[in-house]
Amino acid sequence: MDRSGHGILTHGKNSEFQNELHESNQADVDMGEECKSSETSSPEKSREATESESDSWSGSASLVEKSAVEINGDECQAPPEIPLVNKYEMNVDSEQESQSLNTVSVDVLGPGVPVKDGKGLFMVPAVGMDFESEEHAYKCYSRYAVMEGFSIRKDFVNKSRVTGAVVSRRFTCYRQGYRPSKHTMNTRKPRKETRTGCLAHMTIAWQPYGKFRVTNFENKHNHEFVNPSTAHLLPSQKRLAFAEAVEADLASSSGVDGVPKLGMGFELEDHAYEFYNSYAGKVGFSVRKDYVNRSKIDGAVVSRRFTCFREGFRQKDKRDLSIKRPRKETRIGCLAQLVISRQSDGSYRVTNFEEKHNHELVAACRIRMLRSQKQLVAAQIAEGNAIEGRKIQLKSAHEVSCNSIGEGVDHEYDPVDQRSKLISKCTREMRDGEAEKIQQYFQSKKVKNPSFFYAIQLDADNQIANIFWTDAKMVMDYSDFGDVLCFDTTYRINEDCRLFSPFVGVNHHKQMVIFGAALLYDETVDSFKWLFQKFLEAMSGKKPKTILTDQDEIVSEAICSILPDINQRVCVWHVYQRALKQLSHMFIGSPPFVNDLLSCFFDHEEEEDFIASWNHMMDLHGLWDNEWLNKIFETREQWAIAYKRHIFCADIKSVQLRGSFILKLKKYLKSDSDVLSFLKQLGKMVNDWHYKELEANYDMSQNMPKLMGDVILLKHARDAYTPRIFELFQQEYETCLNIVVNQCIENGSLLEYKVSIYGQPREYTVSYNLSNNTVCCSCMKFEFIGVLCSHALKVLDYSNIRLLPSQYILKRWTREARV
C-alpha cells in the first residue's frame, strides 16, 4: 500500500471511521474518557472532557487520544478537507503496512497528515485546524518542529482589551527576524548570531465557538535543520520536556531510586543540593555549587547549577608565573550537572540534568575523600555514627592489605626464640607486669591477624630481652620500598626513653613508611644481630640496597655480620639530632644558630660548598674549640650528603626533616609510661600513615600537576611520576633552562660535556653514550636520589632527546610503584 493508503482516506472510509469512533467513545464513557465530535460538543462539555483526559495525555499535548490512538476531537479539530487516520482500518490491513506509518518522514508529508513520533500520533499543522487552547496549539507546533529539526518561540500576541484573553497568537521559528545591532555594539563578548530572518510560522486565532483555529501556516525555512540526534537540545524541546517531566513527577513518587530526574521537585535549594550530593556519593564524584541567579527584588535564588567538581577549565592567571608550587589541575571540562529553577509556588524543580562524565569515577573505598562528601561525613560524626564507620573502614582496608600479601611467608613459628638466648642478663630491666602485657598484646594481634609476625629473645634468666614485630601491610611496604632502610635509634638520645627501634623507609609519595619495630632491653652486638636476622626472616630474606644507621660501632658490627654486602652509611638526620642535644646551650644566646646548623647539614650537595658553610658557621658562632663538632667533622664522609653520593638514599633525609615520628611518640616513650598505651598509640600513628597514602593515591588519580609549559618531556614525566616526584623533576627541568653547554668532547660513541649554570663558574661533567642512551653527571644526583639532575636534562635536550629514557624512571617513584 502506498503512502496515500495509509495517510489519506476516501470520503466513504472517513464516514465509516467517524461511526466507529463514535461507537468507541460510547464504550469508553465508563472509563471517564468521553470524546465527542465538534459538531455535538458544547464548549462546556469540551472543557469537561479536556479535564478528564488530561491524565491520559502525554506532557507534549499529543493530539492523539491515548486509549484509541485516534485524533481527539476536544484537543484538535481538523477541517473537513483534512483527512484522519483510521486505526481500525489499519489493524485490518497487513502488519507490514501498519508499521510503515511509523517510519513516515515529516519531510515528505503535507499539512494535516498524522505522524507518529516517540510519544504517539500527532497532526502536522494546517490552515483550518482547531485546537482546544493556545497551549495545545503550541505543543502541537513544537512537536512538529522537533520532528523537522528546528525550535520555536512565542512571538506576536493580541489580547482582548476587555478580558485580557488571547485573541490571536503567532508562533515562529527561533531563527525569525534579526537581532538589533545596537545591543551588540558595547558588548565585550557578543552572543552568537542565531536569527537569519526565517519566515516559517504558525498563526492561530480565537473562534466564536471557543477554540483556536490555524489561520496562517508557513512551513518553508531559509536555514538548515538540526540533526535528529541533537533535536533534544533545542530550546523549545527543553521547555516541552520539562513540562512533561513535571507532570510525570506529580503523578509518581520520583526520587525513590536516588537518581535525579528532569522535573523532580524540592522544597528548598539546600534539599536539591543534598539530594544531588548523595547521588554523587553513590556514583563516585564530588559536587560543586556553580552558577546562581538571584532575584533583583528579594535576593532569593531563582536558579542554581550544581556541577561535577571537574567541570570547566582553570583560567590562566598571569600570577601563575611567580608561584613556585601551583595548585594541581583538577578541572577537565566535565559537563555533568544538575540545574534547578524556582517555580511559581516557591518550590524548585530540576530543569536540566546531565548524567555523563568525561573522566573515571572514584572507587567506593575512596568516596569519603571527596570534598563534598566530607560534609556528609562531618554530619555523621556529629550524630556519633562516623566513629564506628571509620573502624569498619580501617578494618576492611587492613584485611584487604593482608589478603593481598598472600601466603609468601610461613608464620608457623614459635615467637619465643629458644635458640638465640643471650648468654648474659639484659642490660635494662622491665617494669613489673610489663612482660605479661606485651605478650598478651601481641598474642591478641596474632589471633586477629594470622599474618602478624613477632619474635621474642630471652636473656640468660629466661626473661624477655628483645621483641621484634611486623604485620602484613609492613611486609608489603618493604617489598615495594625496601631498597632504602633506615634503622632509627633516635631514642638513644634521651636516656629516660623506652628502647624503641623502628625500621623505616619512604614510599613513592615521599611519605614515611614503617617496615617493622623492636623494643630492646639489651644493646649488645648479639641483640642487634638477632634483631636483623628476625627482620630478614619476616621479609622472606629480601635485603635492602642501603641501610642508614646512627654512629654506633655496635650496630655497625651487627650489620656487617648479618648484612655484609649492602651499602651502609650514617644517617645525617641522626647526627643532626645529636648536634641539637650537644649544642642546646647555643640556642639561647644565638637564635639564628639553628638555621645555620640546619643549612650546613642539609643544604649543600657539593663538598666545596659544605666545607665553606661549615667554616662559616664555626667562625660566626665561635665553635672552633667544641670537641664534639671537631670530632664529627673528621667523620663527615660517613654522614654528610656531599659524600658517598653513589649510594642510593631515596632522599629520605627530606622526609625526616618534615618531622620524625619518634618525636611525636616522645610522651609515650617515657620509661615510666604504660607500655600498652605506647603500643596502641604507635598503631594509631601507623594507621594514619596508611590513610595519608590512600589520600595521596586518590589525589593523584583525580589531579594532574600543573606544567610550567607545553613541553613533551614534562608531559611524559608527569604521566609516569607521582605528583611529589614530578615536582622535584620539574624543578630540575626549570633549572636546566639556565644551563649552558661550554664544551663537548667526542670520543667515539661517548660524548663528554662541560656545563654550568649561566653566570656561575662551577662546571659539571656530563657523559652521554650514544650507543645505549645513558647519561651520567658528576653531581651524581640520580645515583643519590633517583631523579635526573638539571645538568643531565640539559644534555638530553641538547641531544634532541624529547622523552625521558626508561632506565631513568625508577619504578619506586612512579604511579605504578605498587603494581
Side-chain angles (χ1 to χ4, degrees):
M1 184 181 294
D2 58 11
R3 199 185 98 204
S4 62
H6 288 284
I8 302 177
L9 304 177
T10 62
H11 180 72
K13 289 183 179 180
N14 228 354
S15 299
E16 294 174 1
F17 173 73
Q18 294 293 343
N19 293 334
E20 293 179 0
L21 182 63
H22 180 72
E23 293 174 0
S24 174
N25 293 335
Q26 293 281 342
D28 291 337
V29 168
D30 294 338
M31 300 173 62
E33 296 182 355
E34 182 176 351
C35 180
K36 305 261 184 172
S37 64
S38 62
E39 291 80 6
T40 61
S41 296
S42 65
E44 290 79 7
K45 290 184 178 181
S46 298
R47 282 192 295 271
E48 293 175 0
T50 302
E51 292 174 358
S52 66
E53 291 175 354
S54 61
D55 291 337
S56 65
W57 280 70
S58 68
S60 59
S62 169
L63 300 180
V64 182
E65 199 279 331
K66 178 179 108 176
S67 61
V69 201
E70 72 266 9
I71 307 302
N72 186 338
D74 291 327
E75 299 287 350
C76 170
Q77 295 292 339
E81 66 273 12
I82 300 177
L84 298 174
V85 176
N86 187 336
K87 174 201 171 193
Y88 304 97
E89 182 178 9
M90 288 165 59
N91 290 338
V92 174
D93 293 335
S94 66
E95 183 179 356
Q96 181 178 0
E97 292 172 338
S98 176
Q99 292 176 349
S100 66
L101 177 60
N102 300 342
T103 60
V104 175
S105 171
V106 178
D107 296 335
V108 297
L109 289 177
V113 177
V115 176
K116 186 173 184 179
D117 63 2
K119 301 168 186 174
L121 288 173
F122 73 98
M123 296 290 291
V124 175
V127 175
M129 183 181 292
D130 285 349
F131 295 96
E132 184 65 26
S133 66
E134 172 198 357
E135 186 64 21
H136 294 153
Y138 172 76
K139 291 180 178 179
C140 178
Y141 190 44
S142 181
R143 290 182 64 186
Y144 162 74
V146 171
M147 290 288 289
E148 285 277 20
F150 68 96
S151 182
I152 66 173
R153 68 162 52 104
K154 293 180 179 180
D155 190 36
F156 169 80
V157 61
N158 182 22
K159 294 186 177 182
S160 170
R161 296 182 179 180
V162 179
T163 63
V166 174
V167 176
S168 63
R169 162 77 79 175
R170 181 172 63 197
F171 307 109
T172 65
C173 173
Y174 76 122
R175 295 198 163 214
Q176 173 267 347
Y178 298 94
R179 183 180 299 157
S181 58
K182 63 180 181 180
H183 294 299
T184 60
M185 294 181 62
N186 299 324
T187 304
R188 293 184 178 180
K189 293 183 177 181
R191 290 183 300 167
K192 185 178 179 180
E193 187 60 61
T194 58
R195 301 198 178 192
T196 61
C198 183
L199 298 177
H201 67 278
M202 182 179 79
T203 304
I204 58 174
W206 183 80
Q207 303 300 312
Y209 49 83
K211 298 185 183 298
F212 286 87
R213 171 164 289 188
V214 178
T215 58
N216 194 359
F217 177 63
E218 176 60 55
N219 61 358
K220 293 183 179 180
H221 298 257
N222 67 349
H223 57 87
E224 294 182 357
F225 294 146
V226 301
N227 192 296
S229 61
T230 59
H232 65 282
L233 300 177
L234 293 170
S236 61
Q237 175 60 14
K238 287 183 178 180
R239 292 191 292 269
L240 195 61
F242 174 69
E244 295 173 359
V246 170
E247 292 183 9
D249 181 68
L250 294 174
S252 63
S253 56
S254 62
V256 293
D257 57 351
V259 179
K261 293 182 178 63
L262 191 67
M264 183 180 290
F266 301 95
E267 291 184 6
L268 299 174
E269 172 204 355
D270 290 341
H271 294 174
Y273 172 77
E274 291 170 2
F275 180 84
Y276 190 49
N277 193 32
S278 177
Y279 161 76
K282 297 174 184 177
V283 175
F285 67 97
S286 185
V287 176
R288 171 184 290 140
K289 291 183 178 180
D290 191 39
Y291 168 82
V292 61
N293 181 25
R294 296 183 180 273
S295 170
K296 295 182 180 179
I297 299 175
D298 57 3
V301 173
V302 177
S303 62
R304 161 79 79 174
R305 180 170 62 195
F306 306 112
T307 65
C308 173
F309 75 120
R310 311 200 80 174
E311 173 270 342
F313 297 93
R314 183 181 299 165
Q315 295 181 352
K316 291 186 178 181
D317 192 337
K318 59 183 180 181
R319 294 174 297 178
D320 290 348
L321 299 175
S322 59
I323 297 176
K324 293 183 178 179
R325 296 183 62 182
R327 290 183 302 159
K328 297 174 182 177
E329 189 62 60
T330 58
R331 301 194 177 192
I332 58 174
C334 182
L335 298 177
Q337 60 180 278
L338 179 82
V339 181
I340 58 172
S341 297
R342 190 174 65 174
Q343 307 301 301
S344 57
D345 60 356
S347 64
Y348 292 87
R349 288 197 176 274
V350 177
T351 56
N352 187 24
F353 172 56
E354 178 58 49
E355 184 177 6
K356 296 180 181 179
H357 298 257
N358 67 346
H359 56 89
E360 292 184 1
L361 299 174
V362 178
C365 62
R366 298 177 180 173
I367 292 295
R368 63 186 184 277
M369 300 178 189
L370 294 169
R371 179 174 296 182
S372 67
Q373 301 306 315
K374 288 180 180 179
Q375 299 173 3
L376 297 178
V377 174
Q380 293 175 354
I381 293 176
E383 296 173 1
N385 296 330
I387 298 177
E388 187 65 24
R390 189 166 184 267
K391 289 180 179 179
I392 295 173
Q393 292 170 355
L394 288 174
K395 182 179 178 181
S396 300
H398 184 71
E399 289 174 354
V400 170
S401 301
C402 294
N403 293 336
S404 64
I405 297 296
E407 300 297 332
V409 179
D410 182 11
H411 296 299
E412 296 296 332
Y413 64 94
D414 183 3
V416 179
D417 191 352
Q418 300 289 348
R419 297 173 300 174
S420 301
K421 290 176 59 175
L422 296 175
I423 59 175
S424 60
K425 188 176 180 179
C426 59
T427 56
R428 294 196 186 188
E429 293 184 357
M430 286 187 174
R431 295 173 59 193
D432 292 339
E434 194 167 81
E436 290 77 11
K437 289 182 179 181
I438 292 175
Q439 285 184 300
Q440 290 176 2
Y441 176 80
F442 287 128
Q443 286 172 359
S444 65
K445 297 281 286 185
K446 182 72 175 178
V447 170
K448 293 179 181 179
N449 183 6
S451 61
F452 184 82
F453 178 95
Y454 74 103
I456 298 175
Q457 185 182 31
L458 303 178
D459 66 1
D461 295 339
N462 287 328
Q463 300 297 316
I464 294 179
N466 302 302
I467 306 169
F468 168 76
W469 73 92
T470 186
D471 61 26
K473 181 65 170 66
M474 296 178 185
V475 174
M476 183 174 67
D477 289 340
Y478 181 79
S479 66
D480 294 329
F481 309 110
D483 48 358
V484 176
L485 177 66
C486 180
F487 182 56
D488 197 337
T489 54
T490 314
Y491 71 88
R492 305 180 77 182
I493 297 175
N494 301 305
E495 295 179 357
D496 61 337
C497 276
R498 196 178 299 278
L499 308 179
F500 171 65
S501 294
F503 294 88
V504 297
V506 57
N507 67 9
H508 55 324
H509 297 293
K510 294 187 74 174
Q511 297 171 330
M512 190 81 77
V513 289
I514 184 170
F515 305 136
L519 282 174
L520 303 175
Y521 293 88
D522 185 82
E523 298 178 273
T524 61
V525 175
D526 290 337
S527 291
F528 285 110
K529 285 183 178 180
W530 172 86
L531 177 59
F532 292 132
Q533 287 174 343
K534 289 301 174 182
F535 178 82
L536 289 178
E537 179 183 339
M539 303 303 167
S540 301
K542 180 181 178 181
K543 299 179 180 179
K545 294 180 180 178
T546 305
I547 185 168
L548 306 175
T549 64
D550 195 1
Q551 283 181 312
D552 188 278
E553 294 181 359
I554 295 176
V555 174
S556 180
E557 181 181 346
I559 292 175
C560 292
S561 175
I562 306 301
L563 302 167
D565 301 327
I566 66 172
N567 295 316
Q568 182 183 171
R569 65 175 294 156
V570 176
C571 181
V572 63
W573 170 257
H574 292 167
V575 180
Y576 175 70
Q577 291 296 315
R578 289 189 177 277
L580 293 179
K581 183 178 181 180
Q582 292 289 337
L583 304 171
S584 58
H585 63 282
M586 295 294 300
F587 304 150
I588 301 175
S590 180
F593 173 71
V594 178
N595 293 331
D596 294 337
L597 185 68
L598 188 69
S599 174
C600 185
F601 272 69
F602 297 103
D603 291 348
H604 304 291
E605 298 179 353
E606 298 293 331
E607 180 181 8
E608 183 180 345
D609 294 340
F610 168 73
I611 294 177
S613 177
W614 183 275
N615 292 336
H616 174 74
M617 180 186 68
M618 301 292 279
D619 288 335
L620 183 63
H621 301 285
L623 296 173
W624 287 108
D625 294 333
N626 190 293
E627 295 182 2
W628 187 84
L629 284 176
N630 290 327
K631 183 178 179 181
I632 66 167
F633 182 74
E634 293 177 358
T635 60
R636 62 187 180 276
E637 292 186 6
Q638 298 179 14
W639 57 267
I641 61 177
Y643 302 92
K644 293 187 177 181
R645 293 187 60 83
H646 65 283
I647 299 177
F648 180 65
C649 293
D651 201 24
I652 196 171
K653 53 94 177 175
S654 66
V655 180
Q656 293 170 321
L657 275 174
R658 293 200 298 269
S660 172
F661 81 104
I662 295 291
L663 300 180
K664 297 178 183 178
L665 287 171
K666 187 175 181 180
K667 180 176 69 172
Y668 300 93
L669 283 171
K670 296 292 184 180
S671 57
D672 58 349
S673 64
D674 183 50
V675 67
L676 288 183
S677 298
F678 160 71
L679 292 173
K680 291 178 181 179
Q681 183 64 24
L682 175 64
K684 291 179 181 180
M685 187 169 292
V686 172
N687 282 334
D688 288 340
W689 286 0
H690 296 164
Y691 184 76
K692 286 181 179 178
E693 182 179 347
L694 289 175
E695 284 186 316
N697 287 335
Y698 164 75
D699 186 59
M700 177 175 64
S701 67
Q702 297 299 310
N703 308 320
M704 292 296 286
K706 191 171 184 179
L707 297 174
M708 60 174 292
D710 188 14
V711 182
I712 296 176
L713 184 68
L714 291 180
K715 290 180 179 179
H716 181 221
R718 183 177 66 172
D719 292 340
Y721 287 133
T722 60
R724 284 281 298 168
I725 303 304
F726 175 73
E727 288 177 6
L728 179 63
F729 178 85
Q730 187 163 235
Q731 290 173 6
E732 293 296 325
Y733 182 83
E734 186 177 6
T735 303
C736 94
L737 300 179
N738 293 322
I739 292 180
V740 294
V741 177
N742 299 324
Q743 186 181 10
C744 177
I745 302 174
E746 185 174 355
N747 184 11
S749 61
L750 185 65
L751 302 177
E752 185 177 284
Y753 294 89
K754 299 291 184 179
V755 300
S756 63
I757 297 177
Y758 180 79
Q760 296 184 11
R762 176 175 294 151
E763 282 190 338
Y764 297 88
T765 302
V766 182
S767 300
Y768 178 61
N769 195 322
L770 295 173
S771 61
N772 54 13
N773 252 13
T774 57
V775 62
C776 180
C777 180
S778 58
C779 75
M780 305 190 76
K781 187 162 193 169
F782 177 78
E783 289 79 3
F784 190 67
I785 295 178
V787 176
L788 278 180
C789 62
S790 57
H791 321 114
L793 291 176
K794 181 63 180 182
V795 171
L796 291 178
D797 181 70
Y798 191 80
S799 304
N800 292 326
I801 304 299
R802 297 294 176 244
L803 295 178
L804 199 59
S806 59
Q807 63 265 36
Y808 297 109
I809 303 178
L810 298 187
K811 183 181 178 182
R812 65 137 28 249
W813 292 137
T814 67
R815 296 168 176 263
E816 309 297 330
R818 287 198 180 274
V819 177

